[in-house]
Amino acid sequence: MKKTAMTLSLSAALLATPMLAAAEPLSFGEQQTIRSMASAGVGQAIVNQMGAGSMAVINNPSPICGALAGGLGASMLSADPRAGFQIATLRSGEDAAAAVHVTADKEVAYLALGGELDRDENVALAHAYLQELAASEWDGTLVLHISSWMQKQVQAVAEADEAVADYLEGLRMVALQPDLEAGQAVMLGVNFDGDDFTTEEMGRQDMREDLVDLFRRM
């Protein structure tokens, strides 16, 4: 399968892992606010810039991840009321087959594993999902939320599982991350050649100041 270039112009950053020392810890409500604000621009961009008409969000049971997933769905459906949208929650690896069933007819799979689970738990969930996805030979675009990308969840799975690694070589992938110094959101095209993951910047967009301020406190 040949990779296609995508020009996704993001109007909000995605959830960041801590990058700067926090002077004042975020409240739980502020944690949810970041996810809601960030997801608003992303869901619209997936419709308007990527041209995708359907998406599955794969998350974990964390309430924070739930806020992100709900925001993605609301913004996508606002941009296109006819869009296909569904959330598949991985409570354990046993939920992976059902999540892939949800993904099967979707153009985009949005991997959003972060929130209140630690990295090892998220990697295990990603592994279970990607194993099933590879077996199904799904041929869409895998979008990696900043938590999944910065925790190197997919990279860890590729290193541990040769079948998944082979599958990822032919899969279209996009990673999302904020550039807090510039106050911008960045979209990266991701390529995996069987050994290394490489990226190419595809686009960036200014973030609203209050969202940047919240990120800086994480």
Side-chain angles (χ1 to χ4, degrees):
M1 176 178 64
K2 294 183 179 179
K3 299 183 183 297
T4 57
M6 289 169 288
T7 56
L8 173 58
S9 174
L10 300 178
S11 61
L14 298 222
L15 165 65
T17 51
M19 294 184 180
L20 300 173
E24 180 183 353
L26 295 176
S27 69
F28 186 74
E30 287 173 323
Q31 294 276 5
Q32 291 180 308
T33 297
I34 288 179
R35 277 66 174 189
S36 298
M37 291 172 64
S39 60
V42 176
Q44 292 177 24
I46 285 173
V47 172
N48 296 327
Q49 275 69 54
M50 283 182 63
S54 58
M55 177 170 67
V57 176
I58 313 304
N59 68 353
N60 62 39
S62 163
I64 292 174
C65 285
L68 173 73
L72 286 166
S75 59
M76 183 179 197
L77 293 170
S78 177
D80 179 7
R82 299 168 299 177
F85 178 82
Q86 199 165 349
I87 298 169
T89 300
L90 299 176
R91 293 178 175 83
S92 72
E94 295 180 357
D95 294 324
V100 169
H101 180 73
V102 168
T103 307
D105 63 346
K106 305 298 189 298
E107 298 170 54
V108 171
Y110 193 107
L111 193 65
L113 301 176
E116 298 163 286
L117 273 65
D118 64 33
R119 179 180 183 269
D120 288 345
E121 292 175 295
N122 285 321
V123 168
L125 293 175
H127 195 170
Y129 176 70
L130 291 172
Q131 277 185 320
E132 294 286 344
L133 200 65
S136 75
E137 299 182 345
W138 179 76
D139 185 27
T141 299
L142 180 65
V143 178
L144 306 174
H145 187 59
I146 187 62
S147 52
S148 292
W149 177 244
M150 297 301 289
Q151 286 187 0
K152 297 187 176 181
Q153 297 169 10
V154 174
Q155 295 91 319
V157 175
E159 184 175 350
D161 191 318
E162 184 176 354
V164 172
D166 289 344
Y167 172 67
L168 293 176
E169 285 189 64
L171 191 66
R172 293 184 296 275
M173 291 184 284
V174 171
L176 304 166
Q177 68 180 39
D179 179 348
L180 295 184
E181 184 174 352
Q184 295 178 322
V186 184
M187 192 262 314
L188 302 171
V190 179
N191 180 65
F192 179 58
D193 64 6
D195 294 311
D196 300 307
F197 285 83
T198 57
T199 62
E200 176 184 3
E201 186 173 314
M202 307 301 291
R204 57 173 60 216
Q205 182 74 24
D206 291 341
M207 295 186 291
R208 49 189 290 167
E209 291 183 8
D210 53 353
L211 181 56
V212 174
D213 289 342
L214 287 171
F215 275 127
R216 290 187 183 279
R217 289 173 48 207
M218 290 186 75

